[in-house]
Amino acid sequence: MDTENQEWSNESFLGHCPSPRSLHTATCVGDKIVVFGGHEDNSAKNDVYILDTVTHRWTKPKVFGTPPSPRCAHSAVLIDGERILIYGGRDSMAKGDIWFLEVNTAFVRLQSELLNMEVVAWSKGVTGKAPRPVVICGPSGVGKGTLIGKLMKDFPDSFGFSVSHTTRRPREKEQDGVHYHFTKRPTMEKEISERKFLESADVHGNLYGTSWAAVDAVTNSGKTCILDIDVQGAQSVKKSPLDAIFVFIKPPYPEEAELRKRLHGRGTESEEQIQKRLQNAKAELERAKDPTLFDHILINGKLDEAYENLKVCHHVDVFDKYAGDVSRHTAKSVCNLLHARLDLICVTNLAGIARAVLDLSKISGGAPGITRGLNWVVTNSRANGIGNHNMQQPSVSLSQNHKLVPLKPLVAGNLSSTKAANGFTR
């Protein structure tokens, strides 16, 4: 679809029309066409427009998440009816990177309903496995900070702490950017409205929250991200695209008396503040009884025992989830895999020769954060299709001169007879 040859601003179309351009993509999503990027006046673009083919109305949607750099001559393919995979393009910043433009995911539908307008959201695609973040909750005084501190001291290369934002004043010896990101309420309220926070809550009269950027920074370093948040925040995270482990830490019985003793022993709050925290603790302990919210509930009666149990939770659940990616398969097993799987995207050169397969079977996360778990399987045309099974990106030249082809099940025993969704046969 080339808007240099089709006048999209004539009287047959309504709404906010895109400017004439070329080398863009136009992807059909139901009755709508989603246009992204392209070339205009010697420069690339990264804007998004949506055409309703029933009403002939153009819309410039509300965009959440960080968009990719401007590009043209890229490729786009609709995935599962919910998101558009954008790959490569001719641009100095777009060296074969992968992006997802979410158009009908749960997050997009929710924001569209709340704002009563057309919404899309960007999520950057990242290859390779990533450990699941761990959400640790518990009432004030239960010892969360002590347990998290021991975990990070003993395993500094495995765990990273997500530094939360708050509008409260720093306590003695607390450092900005280390214990919290201390900020002003108007600033944080603005960023919350822009969906830059994974979760946020008003606790004890102050705003607290976890930004998507803070979680992504830890996970991008290859570490398990630990989130120390309250139950209200955990409920928000549970509804988000973040795939996390949820752990609740509670005091031994009698719970309220134990928390009261610990809070008094801390010596950092007034009696009025302690009473407020105890009241909130009672509500949190009640919410923790929801069997759908937490994966593990630990009692911190004896610190050493609780710490050992916390370590067991991580080793059982966190590190093995993404084992067995496609890069470990032999050529034969990849072919067998294709019989049953429709979540593989073939990257071909302009002559239609397959050069790589992008495996989407283990993706997790999503807008407004990062989409993880993508895997490249590089192909070798001289060896019945797939001959090289490493997680590496295709060449930059291919990312600028290529096609994306969703694979259909095999009709024979090797990739040479694979038929692609657009009718192309290799």
Side-chain angles (χ1 to χ4, degrees):
M1 187 177 290
D2 190 337
T3 55
E4 290 184 335
N5 298 322
Q6 298 184 42
E7 183 55 64
W8 284 359
S9 59
N10 62 36
E11 60 184 14
S12 65
F13 294 101
L14 306 172
H16 193 162
C17 302
S19 57
R21 64 190 65 189
S22 61
L23 301 176
H24 55 282
T25 52
T27 308
C28 293
V29 184
D31 293 330
K32 298 179 180 180
I33 297 176
V34 180
V35 172
F36 166 67
H39 187 268
E40 177 191 6
D41 296 333
N42 296 320
S43 63
K45 305 180 74 66
N46 68 345
D47 49 4
V48 179
Y49 288 87
I50 297 177
L51 173 64
D52 188 318
T53 60
V54 176
T55 64
H56 281 204
R57 177 174 291 277
W58 280 102
T59 303
K60 189 173 176 62
K62 172 73 174 177
V63 178
F64 289 105
T66 303
S69 60
R71 64 196 62 204
C72 59
H74 52 279
S75 286
V77 62
L78 182 65
I79 306 297
D80 61 29
E82 295 187 342
R83 67 201 80 200
I84 300 170
L85 188 153
I86 308 288
Y87 173 67
R90 295 178 189 171
D91 181 86
S92 60
M93 307 251 330
K95 297 178 181 178
D97 53 356
I98 303 168
W99 290 82
F100 292 92
L101 179 60
E102 298 190 7
V103 292
N104 193 34
T105 59
F107 173 80
V108 167
R109 292 194 299 271
L110 175 61
Q111 303 310 319
S112 180
E113 181 179 340
L114 292 174
L115 299 174
N116 192 29
M117 63 188 302
E118 197 81 59
V119 169
V120 296
W122 285 106
S123 177
K124 182 174 176 58
V126 177
T127 58
K129 63 183 180 180
R132 296 170 74 187
V134 179
V135 175
I136 299 180
C137 301
S140 294
V142 79
K144 300 189 304 295
T146 302
L147 289 168
I148 292 172
K150 283 177 65 65
L151 198 64
M152 300 203 34
K153 181 180 178 181
D154 292 348
F155 304 96
D157 297 329
S158 299
F159 295 94
F161 186 66
S162 170
V163 181
S164 299
H165 287 63
T166 183
T167 59
R168 74 160 172 78
R169 293 182 178 180
R171 295 174 184 151
E172 186 179 357
K173 297 183 179 181
E174 284 186 331
Q175 299 177 35
D176 184 35
V178 177
H179 298 92
Y180 283 96
H181 294 295
F182 295 100
T183 185
K184 301 294 184 181
R185 192 178 189 102
T187 301
M188 189 164 173
E189 287 177 338
K190 179 176 181 294
E191 292 182 345
I192 290 172
S193 69
E194 294 171 347
R195 307 303 189 269
K196 292 184 178 180
F197 278 79
L198 171 63
E199 59 83 27
S200 61
D202 193 318
V203 182
H204 314 309
N206 292 297
L207 288 178
Y208 289 79
T210 304
S211 70
W212 283 97
V215 176
D216 288 339
V218 176
T219 309
N220 287 343
S221 70
K223 298 180 180 180
T224 297
C225 181
I226 296 179
L227 289 79
D228 176 7
I229 57 180
D230 67 358
V231 175
Q232 184 178 347
Q235 290 174 317
S236 297
V237 175
K238 195 77 171 183
K239 298 175 184 177
S240 79
L242 191 71
D243 182 24
I245 297 291
F246 292 80
V247 180
F248 186 82
I249 301 173
K250 60 187 296 187
Y253 186 83
E255 296 164 345
E256 184 174 347
E258 181 66 24
L259 288 177
R260 184 189 301 275
K261 182 178 72 174
R262 295 184 184 186
L263 289 171
H264 275 293
R266 219 161 54 173
T268 56
E269 289 94 6
S270 65
E271 183 61 32
E272 181 181 354
Q273 290 173 321
I274 288 176
Q275 291 303 319
K276 184 182 292 187
R277 291 183 181 278
L278 288 174
Q279 185 177 357
N280 288 335
K282 186 180 296 185
E284 288 191 315
L285 288 165
E286 188 62 31
R287 288 178 185 173
K289 295 177 182 178
D290 180 356
T292 66
L293 181 54
F294 291 101
D295 301 296
H296 305 280
I297 295 181
L298 306 180
I299 298 176
N300 185 15
K302 296 180 180 180
L303 181 62
D304 290 342
E305 183 177 326
Y307 179 57
E308 291 302 316
N309 289 333
L310 184 61
K311 287 193 295 183
V312 168
C313 292
H314 297 324
H315 285 295
V316 169
D317 290 313
V318 177
F319 300 117
D320 297 328
K321 183 179 180 184
Y322 296 102
D325 27 69
V326 169
S327 60
R328 297 198 183 106
H329 287 289
T330 64
K332 181 177 180 180
S333 67
V334 171
C335 291
N336 291 335
L337 192 63
L338 285 172
H339 281 288
R341 285 259 305 282
L342 298 175
D343 44 18
L344 298 170
I345 303 297
C346 184
V347 182
T348 76
N349 60 19
L350 295 182
I353 304 300
R355 292 303 184 198
V357 172
L358 182 61
D359 176 27
L360 305 178
S361 64
K362 291 183 173 60
I363 62 172
S364 63
I370 289 174
T371 299
R372 302 184 183 277
L374 289 77
N375 288 297
W376 284 109
V377 181
V378 179
T379 68
N380 182 341
S381 60
R382 293 175 298 177
N384 280 336
I386 295 189
N388 191 11
H389 321 293
N390 46 19
M391 284 172 46
Q392 69 180 51
Q393 191 168 289
S395 65
V396 173
S397 61
L398 178 62
S399 73
Q400 297 177 354
N401 300 278
H402 68 280
K403 299 176 183 178
L404 292 182
V405 182
L407 295 178
K408 286 185 176 180
L410 293 179
V411 296
N414 59 51
L415 286 179
S416 62
S417 58
T418 301
K419 290 190 176 181
N422 64 356
F424 159 74
T425 301
R426 179 172 179 269

